[in-house]
Amino acid sequence: MAREELTRLTGNGNGNGTCGKDDCPNIYRTPSGSFVIQGNVSHSFKAPDGEGLVEIPEATFREAIRVLGW
């Protein structure tokens, strides 16, 4: 899936404004309603094959929830 197909929920100037265009933790919504998370790679434990672990700040989750109106 291409980035253009995703709806960016965070880092659009709605939060603290510390992110550039693509260089910070973000949460995206897919056309099917699932989410894609961009963050720093975490090595807390080994994820199963085909999966990855990322770490994002709590503020990023809060921003996404606010944008979604939850």
Side-chain angles (χ1 to χ4, degrees), residues 8-56:
R8 186 173 175 168
L9 301 175
T10 59
N12 290 316
N14 299 324
N16 59 18
T18 60
C19 297
K21 183 177 179 188
D22 300 318
D23 64 348
C24 58
N26 282 296
I27 298 176
Y28 301 85
R29 192 164 199 182
T30 68
S32 67
S34 62
F35 297 93
V36 174
I37 310 297
Q38 174 186 342
N40 297 322
V41 174
S42 173
H43 300 287
S44 299
F45 61 91
K46 184 178 179 340
D49 288 343
E51 296 183 6
L53 303 174
V54 297
E55 184 175 339
I56 64 170

